Amino acid sequence: MKQYRDEGIVVGGHKLGEADRIVLILTRNHGLVRAVAKGIRRTKSRFGSRLEPFMLVDVQCHVGRSLDVVTQVELIEPFARAIGADYSTYSAANVMAETCTRLTEAEPRSRAQYLLLVSAIRSLCRGEHPPRLALDAYLLRAMAVAGWAPSLWNCAQCGEPGPHRAFSPALGGAVCSACRQHGTALPTTETVLHLAALLSGDWARAEATAPHHAAEASRLVTLYVQWHLERHVKSFTVLENA
């Protein structure tokens, strides 16, 4: 009987049958794991709430034919408690989890994405930065880890030294006037500098940005993520209503 043990953060799941649940856990060493937690929806489940979304756990699984089976769970950090206490925080965390799932579902190993997500969720729980800023910073860095770092200075197409005003998610970020396509967004310089501050972790500059520039940057981040994932991130809908 082959088993493995790893630490991971629960990023999703859905009901299975009358009492079971399929959980998605992004682990440190085994990538994105899909496993069955048997009987978890029963009142007397020995796993209880330890496999709720955003819980950081030490989990043991038995390798199955199509889905692994959770055999033991120990709680490391109960992130879900703090996240569920604030709607804006909860909305941001859901976008993080869904985006991370999309980025890692085809990756056999995702340690960098795992560490980035845990760090971002922990920061959300502690309230270190406004939720939307924390989310935008996470999304930009997650895309960079996945190999899709946006160009925010030189032209993403021809390499012409910047700064450049136009920004195209399809072309990879900032583009010069010669490479700019019809309908390309024209954010302000302050907006682009805000994106650069989020990507580099310059929180003093990011938090000093005027709200309208930060909002414009958030729209660009959303477009950039969804373009490169080639699908709609459903959690963004919830975020827009936060």
Side-chain angles (χ1 to χ4, degrees):
M1 184 169 64
K2 186 176 181 182
Q3 294 190 347
Y4 61 88
R5 189 165 187 162
D6 205 347
E7 68 176 57
I9 183 167
V10 182
V11 293
H14 56 86
K15 296 178 182 178
L16 178 66
E18 295 183 356
D20 302 340
R21 183 175 177 83
I22 294 177
V23 292
L24 276 68
I25 308 173
L26 182 64
T27 64
R28 177 185 287 269
N29 299 310
H30 293 82
L32 186 65
V33 170
R34 288 176 171 82
V36 177
K38 294 185 176 181
I40 193 174
R41 290 159 53 208
R42 293 195 180 101
T43 305
K44 296 182 179 180
S45 169
R46 59 196 175 100
F47 297 143
S49 61
R50 283 172 282 179
L51 288 176
E52 289 297 311
F54 312 117
M55 291 299 199
L56 185 64
V57 295
D58 182 317
V59 62
Q60 181 173 292
C61 294
H62 166 64
V63 178
R65 291 184 177 180
S66 57
L67 292 170
D68 296 347
V69 178
V70 177
T71 57
Q72 185 176 337
V73 183
E74 298 295 335
L75 184 62
I76 298 176
E77 288 190 61
F79 292 144
R81 297 175 187 173
I83 287 173
D86 178 75
Y87 187 69
S88 295
T89 299
Y90 173 78
S91 301
N94 270 281
V95 176
M96 290 180 182
E98 185 177 354
T99 301
C100 192
T101 300
R102 299 288 177 255
L103 289 172
T104 59
E105 57 191 355
E107 295 291 329
R109 294 289 183 273
S110 311
R111 179 173 289 196
Q113 291 287 1
Y114 165 77
L115 294 173
L116 180 63
L117 179 64
V118 171
S119 176
I121 294 294
R122 183 177 286 119
S123 177
L124 270 181
C125 289
R126 294 174 177 173
E128 295 176 357
H129 311 290
R132 188 59 203 244
L133 289 188
L135 172 61
D136 289 340
Y138 165 77
L139 292 173
L140 287 170
R141 295 172 191 178
M143 298 305 287
V145 169
W148 292 318
S151 175
L152 299 174
W153 187 261
N154 296 337
C155 177
Q157 285 293 286
C158 68
E160 178 71 21
H164 300 294
R165 176 103 188 264
F167 185 94
S168 170
L171 297 179
V175 289
C176 66
S177 56
C179 296
R180 177 193 168 198
Q181 298 175 340
H182 179 69
T184 300
L186 294 173
T188 63
T189 300
E190 289 80 2
T191 296
V192 176
L193 291 174
H194 177 68
L195 290 172
L198 291 173
L199 183 59
S200 66
D202 185 351
W203 287 107
R205 178 159 200 151
E207 293 183 351
T209 300
H212 61 286
H213 292 311
E216 183 178 38
S218 293
R219 289 191 292 271
L220 293 178
V221 172
T222 298
L223 290 172
Y224 191 83
V225 169
Q226 298 198 131
W227 173 269
H228 287 282
L229 290 181
E230 298 181 342
R231 68 180 74 184
H232 177 65
V233 177
K234 296 178 182 179
S235 300
F236 275 124
T237 304
V238 178
L239 184 70
E240 291 165 2
N241 297 323

